Amino acid sequence: MQFNEILNYLNNYEPGKDIELIAKEYGVKEIIKLASNENPFGVPPKAIESLMQNLNKAYLYPDDSMIELKSKLAQKYKLKNENIIIGAGSDQVIEFALHAKLNNKNAFLQAGVSFAMYEIYAKQFGAKCYKTQSITHDLNEFQKYYNQYQEEIKVVFLCLPNNPLGECLNANEVFEFIKEVDKDCLVIIDAAYNEFASFKDNKKCLKPCDLVEKFENVLFLGTFSKLYGLGGLRIGYGIANIQIINALHKLRAPFNVNHLALKAAIAALDDEEFIKKTLENNFTQMELYEEFAKRNHIKTLKSYTNFITYFFDQKNSTDLSEKLLKKGIIIRNLQSYGLNAMRITIGKPYENERFFVEFEKVLKE
Amino acid sequence: MQFNEILNYLNNYEPGKDIELIAKEYGVKEIIKLASNENPFGVPPKAIESLMQNLNKAYLYPDDSMIELKSKLAQKYKLKNENIIIGAGSDQVIEFALHAKLNNKNAFLQAGVSFAMYEIYAKQFGAKCYKTQSITHDLNEFQKYYNQYQEEIKVVFLCLPNNPLGECLNANEVFEFIKEVDKDCLVIIDAAYNEFASFKDNKKCLKPCDLVEKFENVLFLGTFSKLYGLGGLRIGYGIANIQIINALHKLRAPFNVNHLALKAAIAALDDEEFIKKTLENNFTQMELYEEFAKRNHIKTLKSYTNFITYFFDQKNSTDLSEKLLKKGIIIRNLQSYGLNAMRITIGKPYENERFFVEFEKVLKE
């Protein structure tokens, strides 16, 4: 059977063997997962409570207007419900946006290394990908590429802070850059980790209401998968002016977000104690990762997220990752991003402690 | 901002006011929802149990290989894991399939009235829609259209049984029809309600293993939203030969199905008592709906599903629906399908009884 041409440029599906199963195969009893930037404290207690109360309603289709969560977010961000679209993860909002803007005659621009899904979705719609030479966000370079390929580039991604590297631009630099971008080019600000950056340094804080007020071509993305501890439920959102949100809604299928995710997200937004604990633990423990890196001569970037990236010169990150796996510690090897590096999610104190002990041994092997 | 041309042909999003909220506005205390073909007995007890056990894991991304559910389905249908793709509702599998096959140079064929999402997804990929004159599935007409527009038609939908009308072709007729379709044309068999049809009449039973064995161009769709009582969790599946499944996987984003849905689906498949109760109640109660129709001179089609469709001559279905809503009974008005008709989900005995009492009053008004 023949399929659309775009499929020729997409990778064949490889159903990745569950990494936890692999670790179990190695006979490890207690596995520590520091690989996917999930919240080490789990699901927020208020969300658990809400899930318990709503389980028996899971036979009913979700409320497709999602009015309750939209109102909650609109209140939080001082915007209108009409400025918000909810997705099954902010991933899905990226898909809507690229489906709306990209095609086989145009292109998008991103940092040299950034969230892998940008390119994957763009390819599904046949568009070309431009990446800056710098792996991190260098706005001069963004400007240079943008000027050079302005006719083609219809979407610019800014991942703030950047996954999988952790660096983050200041909000004022971002505003200056967007001013130079044509109004017909959509600037997507992926703020999946921005709560972490804002907590560490207020200059990194990107307020959706400021962005939407100043720019008609910005889409801000937020998620419940990281700080809010709901990665398994698949829920995130996009915020933009009403014209953009209406366009994305045309590509949203009804009932795209499940009932329990909608309920849990509302409760998670209210769990201030949980949020405070997560943020404080993250940056206190981050310091230990920085000290460990220094002590072991590992290069790293300053991270504004809930993970840290270790770069290696002599050692090979694939080899190191496998050795850690055999000890029951799962981290994210970044070879698939073309980097001899690993990304480690900041865990709970005992998890991080075990990482340090075991990784020190691995490095000495 | 300019968007891709396809958006011009898609409807603007109207965030439908929650129908239960409307009923509440009318001051109705107890609302009976017979509108969305959900399981009137709710979430299967075994699924509830599984959800309870897995709530606290909802902070972790789902297992993207979905190996546990795939194995379970493969065993049930006597196929391989590689023949299966899991979607956030079978809807999402339709999206993958149309994204893979359709574009602005081709078309698809469906019955005159069938599930609305076929056309909506097809439009997202720019394709043209052919519908038979007959509102129900008339295979002679399908054949006629297919022969006439064979060059263009790359997807044929058979909804068996058909939503929102309830009729169902026999499996042997379906096999005969598919034999006449070119191998490069994908035949999608939407079997969302096929468990109901099979229970009522074995001749309607479509076995995915027979289809996959005989035809390289068939995609069979199943769902957990109807019989299995998990509509709010968004989970369904597609079954086809490996070449098709691999193609669809290229368009599937990682983590497209949430963790709790995966766990609940596995448990639901095992809840035989719940399934038996649902099927028996459905067809015993269906008889009462047929008798009611006869008594009140309402036209209906024989239904092989968990709903029944009432057609009206003199009365207007929008008017009737609104009157029912004021009494706290929600059914699906079919005016948007171009029919002066309503679709009523078969409920529990006390729900159906209340429908009969109230609708009889409405008809006499």
Side-chain angles (χ1 to χ4, degrees), chain B residues 264-298:
Chain B
I266 293 162
L269 284 171
D270 277 335
D271 208 329
E272 286 168 24
E273 198 183 318
F274 177 86
I275 293 163
K276 189 164 171 272
K277 181 175 74 174
T278 300
L279 290 167
E280 284 174 354
N281 172 77
N282 186 68
F283 289 107
T284 317
Q285 293 290 307
M286 180 86 80
E287 288 175 20
L288 304 179
Y289 277 92
E290 288 163 350
E291 287 164 19
F292 181 91
K294 198 175 277 182
R295 205 161 60 238
N296 290 281
H297 312 288
I298 297 166

Side-chain angles (χ1 to χ4, degrees), chain A residues 345-359:
Chain A
T345 306
I346 312 301
K348 285 182 187 171
Y350 83 89
E351 294 172 319
N352 303 327
E353 192 46 49
R354 196 169 133 209
F355 171 84
F356 298 138
V357 169
E358 299 295 348
F359 197 44

Side-chain angles (χ1 to χ4, degrees), chain A residues 220-240:
Chain A
F220 173 98
L221 301 177
T223 184
F224 289 95
S225 299
K226 309 299 171 186
L227 177 62
Y228 293 100
L230 303 177
L233 292 182
R234 315 306 300 122
I235 182 159
Y237 53 90
I239 296 179

Side-chain angles (χ1 to χ4, degrees), chain B residues 121-334:
Chain B
Y121 283 123
K123 277 187 177 172
Q124 291 186 3
F125 303 108
K128 195 171 163 182
C129 170
Y130 288 112
K131 294 182 186 181
T132 62
Q133 294 267 306
S134 166
I135 57 171
T136 57
H137 286 69
D138 173 334
L139 286 177
N140 288 329
E141 253 205 278
F142 267 79
Q143 191 68 60
K144 205 186 73 187
Y145 270 85
Y146 181 70
N147 292 344
Q148 191 171 350
Y149 302 106
Q150 189 159 355
E151 291 291 297
E152 268 180 279
I153 292 172
K154 291 297 167 194
V155 172
V156 175
F157 275 101
L158 299 175
C159 189
L160 304 171
N162 191 19
N163 174 20
L165 297 180
E167 97 280 3
C168 193
L169 297 170
N170 288 342
N172 62 354
E173 303 173 275
V174 174
F175 280 73
E176 290 307 311
F177 171 74
I178 302 173
K179 280 182 196 162
E180 302 301 316
V181 174
D182 188 87
K183 293 289 165 284
D184 190 44
C185 176
L186 181 67
V187 179
I188 302 182
I189 295 186
D190 186 344
Y193 299 88
N194 196 261
E195 294 98 340
F196 292 98
S198 305
F199 181 82
K200 180 163 180 159
D201 179 351
N202 197 44
K203 290 196 295 295
K204 312 293 181 189
C205 178
L206 287 157
K207 288 193 182 134
C209 60
D210 293 346
L211 287 161
V212 170
E213 200 177 287
K214 286 200 175 70
F215 305 109
E216 64 188 75
N217 60 333
V218 167
L219 173 64
F220 174 98
L221 302 177
T223 184
F224 289 95
S225 299
K226 309 298 173 191
L227 177 62
Y228 293 101
L230 302 178
L233 292 182
R234 315 307 300 122
I235 183 160
Y237 53 91
I239 296 179
N241 83 20
I242 293 175
Q243 193 216 0
I244 293 174
I245 295 298
N246 282 347
L248 304 195
H249 268 128
K250 288 184 176 188
L251 295 163
R252 183 191 70 86
F255 314 123
N256 62 315
V257 179
N258 75 83
H259 174 70
L260 294 179
L262 288 168
K263 293 296 183 185
I266 293 162
L269 284 171
D270 277 335
D271 208 329
E272 286 168 24
E273 198 183 318
F274 177 86
I275 293 163
K276 189 164 171 272
K277 181 175 74 174
T278 300
L279 290 167
E280 284 174 354
N281 172 77
N282 186 68
F283 289 107
T284 317
Q285 293 290 307
M286 180 86 80
E287 288 175 20
L288 304 179
Y289 277 92
E290 288 163 350
E291 287 164 19
F292 181 91
K294 198 175 277 182
R295 205 161 60 238
N296 290 281
H297 312 288
I298 297 166
K299 266 194 283 187
T300 181
L301 287 172
K302 191 167 182 183
S303 170
Y304 291 88
T305 63
N306 66 345
F307 59 81
I308 190 161
T309 304
Y310 281 2
F311 296 84
F312 303 97
D313 288 325
Q314 312 292 331
K315 306 265 182 182
N316 177 283
S317 67
T318 303
D319 180 49
L320 295 171
S321 303
E322 273 169 25
K323 284 179 179 159
L324 278 170
L325 193 55
K326 286 186 186 158
K327 293 176 181 292
I329 296 171
I330 310 172
I331 54 81
R332 175 68 58 88
N333 178 17
L334 296 182

Side-chain angles (χ1 to χ4, degrees), chain A residues 34-40 114-115 137 159-169 190-201 204 223 226-227 278-287 289-290 300-310 334 342-347:
Chain A
L34 302 172
S36 304
N37 306 337
E38 292 135 340
N39 191 316
S114 200
F115 185 41
H137 286 68
C159 189
L160 305 170
N162 191 20
N163 174 21
L165 296 180
E167 96 281 3
C168 192
L169 297 169
D190 186 344
Y193 300 89
N194 197 261
E195 295 98 339
F196 292 98
S198 306
F199 181 82
K200 180 166 179 158
D201 180 350
K204 312 294 182 190
T223 184
K226 309 299 171 186
L227 177 62
T278 300
L279 290 167
E280 285 175 354
N281 172 78
N282 187 67
F283 289 107
T284 316
Q285 294 290 307
M286 179 87 79
E287 287 175 21
Y289 276 92
E290 288 163 348
T300 180
L301 287 172
K302 189 167 182 181
S303 170
Y304 291 88
T305 62
N306 66 345
F307 60 81
I308 191 162
T309 304
Y310 281 2
L334 296 182
M342 59 170 67
R343 191 190 69 186
I344 309 140
T345 306
I346 312 301

Side-chain angles (χ1 to χ4, degrees), chain A residues 139-201:
Chain A
L139 286 178
N140 289 328
E141 252 205 280
F142 267 79
Q143 190 68 61
K144 206 185 76 189
Y145 270 86
Y146 182 70
N147 293 343
Q148 194 172 348
Y149 302 105
Q150 190 160 353
E151 291 290 298
E152 266 180 280
I153 293 173
K154 292 297 168 196
V155 172
V156 175
F157 275 102
L158 299 175
C159 189
L160 305 170
N162 191 20
N163 174 21
L165 296 180
E167 96 281 3
C168 192
L169 297 169
N170 288 341
N172 63 354
E173 304 173 275
V174 174
F175 279 73
E176 290 308 311
F177 170 75
I178 302 172
K179 280 182 196 163
E180 302 301 316
V181 175
D182 188 87
K183 295 288 165 285
D184 190 46
C185 176
L186 181 67
V187 180
I188 302 182
I189 296 186
D190 186 344
Y193 300 89
N194 197 261
E195 295 98 339
F196 292 98
S198 306
F199 181 82
K200 180 166 179 158
D201 180 350

Side-chain angles (χ1 to χ4, degrees), chain B residues 12-190:
Chain B
N12 242 314
Y13 172 74
E14 282 170 48
K17 216 176 175 186
D18 192 69
I19 207 159
E20 296 199 28
L21 288 177
I22 299 172
K24 273 178 195 156
E25 276 174 25
Y26 289 136
V28 187
K29 273 180 198 148
E30 208 209 339
I31 294 158
I32 289 181
K33 193 184 172 204
L34 302 173
S36 305
N37 306 338
E38 293 134 340
N39 191 317
F41 296 106
V43 181
K46 288 196 177 178
I48 290 275
E49 212 176 296
S50 171
L51 285 168
M52 295 279 279
Q53 280 163 18
N54 285 287
L55 282 186
N56 62 351
K57 298 279 183 200
Y59 72 108
L60 296 168
Y61 281 90
D63 167 26
D64 197 46
S65 75
M66 310 193 208
I67 194 79
E68 210 181 340
L69 178 58
K70 280 185 193 165
S71 306
K72 188 98 192 164
L73 287 168
Q75 198 185 349
K76 173 183 165 82
Y77 289 125
K78 299 186 180 67
L79 284 157
K80 290 182 183 159
N81 294 358
E82 292 73 22
N83 293 116
I84 301 169
I85 184 166
I86 315 286
S90 52
D91 274 48
Q92 199 182 44
V93 184
I94 297 173
E95 188 193 340
F96 299 152
L98 300 193
H99 193 165
K101 284 295 287 180
L102 296 184
N103 57 56
N104 59 12
K105 290 181 190 65
N106 61 28
F108 80 101
L109 175 61
Q110 66 157 68
V113 169
S114 199
F115 186 39
M117 289 309 297
Y118 306 155
E119 194 171 352
I120 293 172
Y121 283 123
K123 277 187 177 172
Q124 291 186 3
F125 303 108
K128 195 171 163 182
C129 170
Y130 288 112
K131 294 182 186 181
T132 62
Q133 294 267 306
S134 166
I135 57 171
T136 57
H137 286 69
D138 173 334
L139 286 177
N140 288 329
E141 253 205 278
F142 267 79
Q143 191 68 60
K144 205 186 73 187
Y145 270 85
Y146 181 70
N147 292 344
Q148 191 171 350
Y149 302 106
Q150 189 159 355
E151 291 291 297
E152 268 180 279
I153 292 172
K154 291 297 167 194
V155 172
V156 175
F157 275 101
L158 299 175
C159 189
L160 304 171
N162 191 19
N163 174 20
L165 297 180
E167 97 280 3
C168 193
L169 297 170
N170 288 342
N172 62 354
E173 303 173 275
V174 174
F175 280 73
E176 290 307 311
F177 171 74
I178 302 173
K179 280 182 196 162
E180 302 301 316
V181 174
D182 188 87
K183 293 289 165 284
D184 190 44
C185 176
L186 181 67
V187 179
I188 302 182
I189 295 186
D190 186 344

